[in-house]
Amino acid sequence: MKFDNTLTVTVNALLNTGSIPFLNGEAGIGKSSWVMALAEERNTQCFTTTCNQLGDKCDLTMAKTVPIPGTDDYMQKFFPSAMIQKAIDYAVAHPNEKPILFLDELNRTTSDITSALLSLATARMLGNVTLPDNLLMIAAGNDKGNITPLDSASISRFWTINVLPDYDTFLRVNPDLNKLIRKTLAQNPEKYLLCKQDENTIGDDVDPESLQFTTPRTISSLSRWLNEIPREDLINICMLATSSGASNKTEIYEIITGFTGETEFSKVLLSNLTKEVETDKLTMKKKSASAYSKKPKFLTEIETKTTIDEVVEAIQDAATNDVSNALAYQLAHIQDNGANSDRRIFETLIRKLEPRELTGKTLTSLQNAYALPCVDRPIVDRIKDLNTPLYNLLQSLTNK
């Protein structure tokens, strides 16, 4: 069953009868987010206990031996874990509400903790602490991976439903979803919202369960990154065609698949992103051509120098912004002057700048020039032997 209105209506009715729903499904498909959204719709709070973070049964019950006032005897007293106690306190303080105690990752913990949690579900007690009548419960677990299967006696204590992500619900609970991701999902939501790497591309020595894959959780993480990174920085990363280590994969490919795995979703997203970057490059080209219709004064000045030593000295003493604008003008007008470009000036400008200097507001014009697909091979080949980090960047841009 999908995380849609049918599930919402069903679970609400179950909660009102005192039943405990158990949501069973893939990791990262949005079980926790859906339960929290459900609590919000019911105008109450959700208190989540992540069961696999409990070290042992004692972390759940917090049993302690305490003295009995007025006597020399002792008694055992129970102190529920912090989150469960918060749920109890809230339920007591808000008798007109029905808050939810959410037992997440129920089948990814030890058998003794599971046993204690099952007693909580049936007896509604932890030791001598009784849950308030208005405190409801929902449990969730994974259907594969490192899990402890629940036996028939345990399963019978819950209403168990296998759940799947729902596209409309995912959009509703993620109002700030990145536009490019939204566009990609819309192309095939049934397939892209939950997909794994093609088994035919996985080596025999690799466990498929250990590989990253696409789920609502990983998509949301990628969306937050895409929303956070400045657009110019994203374009620059996409324009770098250099490989990462021995993997022979581009930087942007490594970043995207780090979030959502080497899946069909990741490949389509990368294709859509590449198309957007190409459109941005054309826009930047038009802006650059307009911005550099007039030769910078600094470039005119250094062209009057009669010796290479004078050129080098003038460029080395110049402000970085002047050098950026001079190089940007030359890049923008390479098609106009081609082989007639002054090699001395061009090479000295290249030596002056490093890739790390290509960021910041003062270098926006230079970044725009790098987006131009008009850098001809002869110019780039001429600086190949200069052995500067900037050459690799220029070369990668001409291969786009």
Side-chain angles (χ1 to χ4, degrees):
M1 184 179 291
K2 291 184 177 181
F3 287 117
D4 55 15
N5 186 62
T6 299
L7 182 63
T8 300
V9 171
T10 302
V11 170
N12 274 326
L14 285 165
L15 292 174
N16 293 337
T17 63
S19 299
I20 304 176
F22 179 82
L23 308 177
N24 189 45
E26 285 270 12
I29 61 173
K31 297 186 289 290
S32 302
S33 299
W34 185 83
V35 173
M36 288 187 285
L38 179 69
E40 184 175 348
E41 290 180 8
R42 294 172 65 94
N43 298 312
T44 190
Q45 297 292 311
C46 175
F47 299 87
T48 301
T49 292
T50 307
C51 302
N52 63 336
Q53 292 182 358
L54 300 171
D56 55 37
K57 185 177 179 179
C58 293
D59 289 343
L60 182 65
T61 59
M62 299 291 182
K64 295 183 180 180
T65 302
V66 297
I68 300 175
T71 72
D72 294 330
D73 296 328
Y74 290 82
M75 63 179 294
Q76 192 176 47
K77 192 171 182 179
F78 294 85
F79 300 86
S81 63
M83 189 57 68
I84 295 178
Q85 187 61 57
K86 284 184 179 180
I88 293 173
D89 293 342
Y90 185 90
V92 171
H94 300 81
N96 294 326
E97 291 185 25
K98 293 185 177 181
I100 296 173
L101 175 59
F102 179 42
L103 306 177
D104 198 13
E105 309 285 5
L106 181 63
N107 59 353
R108 292 191 61 204
T109 186
T110 60
S111 57
D112 64 329
I113 294 177
T114 301
S115 176
L117 289 168
L118 293 175
S119 296
L120 177 66
T122 53
R124 295 184 61 83
M125 293 184 66
L126 274 180
N128 60 348
V129 177
T130 302
L131 298 185
D133 291 339
N134 62 322
L135 181 59
L136 309 178
M137 282 187 283
I138 297 178
N142 298 338
D143 60 0
K144 62 186 66 175
N146 185 23
I147 62 174
T148 302
L150 301 180
D151 57 29
S152 58
S154 303
I155 289 294
S156 65
R157 306 177 193 223
F158 302 99
W159 174 79
T160 304
I161 184 66
N162 295 318
V163 289
L164 294 170
D166 176 67
Y167 176 63
D168 292 332
T169 301
F170 179 70
L171 295 182
R172 178 169 53 83
V173 299
N174 290 275
D176 297 325
L177 192 68
N178 179 265
K179 293 181 180 179
L180 183 63
I181 287 183
R182 188 183 294 267
K183 173 183 176 181
T184 302
L185 284 175
Q187 293 178 238
N188 195 336
E190 293 292 329
K191 181 178 181 180
Y192 295 158
L193 200 54
L194 179 62
C195 59
K196 296 188 176 184
Q197 184 174 339
D198 185 350
E199 293 185 358
N200 295 325
T201 65
I202 303 174
D204 294 335
D205 58 340
V206 178
D207 179 8
E209 293 298 323
S210 68
L211 298 176
Q212 182 63 285
F213 62 108
T214 302
T215 70
R217 180 191 298 165
T218 58
I219 292 173
S220 296
S221 296
L222 176 56
S223 172
R224 288 191 293 271
W225 180 78
L226 287 172
N227 287 341
E228 177 65 24
I229 188 170
R231 185 66 179 180
E232 288 184 359
D233 290 341
L234 179 62
I235 292 174
N236 287 339
I237 293 174
C238 293
M239 289 165 60
L240 288 172
T242 53
S243 301
S244 293
S247 64
N248 197 33
K249 297 171 182 175
T250 61
E251 301 287 351
I252 190 61
Y253 182 85
E254 294 276 14
I255 293 172
I256 289 177
T257 56
F259 282 103
T260 51
E262 297 189 51
T263 65
E264 185 68 20
F265 166 82
S266 298
K267 295 175 183 177
V268 175
L269 177 68
L270 181 60
S271 175
N272 290 337
L273 176 59
T274 301
K275 292 176 182 177
E276 280 198 2
V277 169
E278 290 299 321
T279 300
D280 286 348
K281 285 169 63 177
L282 292 175
T283 301
M284 293 166 72
K285 176 181 178 180
K286 294 177 181 179
K287 290 181 179 179
S288 183
S290 174
Y292 296 105
S293 58
K294 184 178 180 180
K295 182 180 291 187
K297 181 179 179 181
F298 172 70
L299 184 58
T300 301
E301 292 176 353
I302 61 177
E303 285 178 342
T304 63
K305 306 299 180 182
T306 58
T307 68
I308 187 62
D309 290 338
E310 291 178 345
V311 171
V312 171
E313 182 179 0
I315 292 176
Q316 292 298 331
D317 292 342
T320 301
N321 193 48
D322 288 336
V323 177
S324 298
N325 288 328
L327 180 57
Y329 178 87
Q330 286 214 333
L331 287 171
H333 292 274
I334 280 176
Q335 285 185 330
D336 296 334
N337 52 33
N340 295 322
S341 294
D342 192 318
R343 178 178 178 179
R344 300 172 306 168
I345 297 175
F346 195 84
E347 291 181 355
T348 307
L349 291 171
I350 291 294
R351 289 184 183 276
K352 170 72 173 178
L353 295 172
E354 296 290 330
R356 59 184 172 81
E357 296 178 297
L358 302 181
T359 58
K361 294 181 179 179
T362 61
L363 299 181
T364 299
S365 58
L366 182 58
Q367 290 173 328
N368 288 344
Y370 281 166
L372 296 177
C374 65
V375 182
D376 64 352
R377 294 300 303 180
I379 288 291
V380 177
D381 287 340
R382 271 193 279 166
I383 64 173
K384 185 174 183 179
D385 296 329
L386 296 180
N387 195 28
T388 67
L390 190 56
Y391 164 70
N392 295 323
L393 176 59
L394 288 172
Q395 185 184 45
S396 71
L397 297 184
T398 61
N399 290 332
K400 285 290 186 181

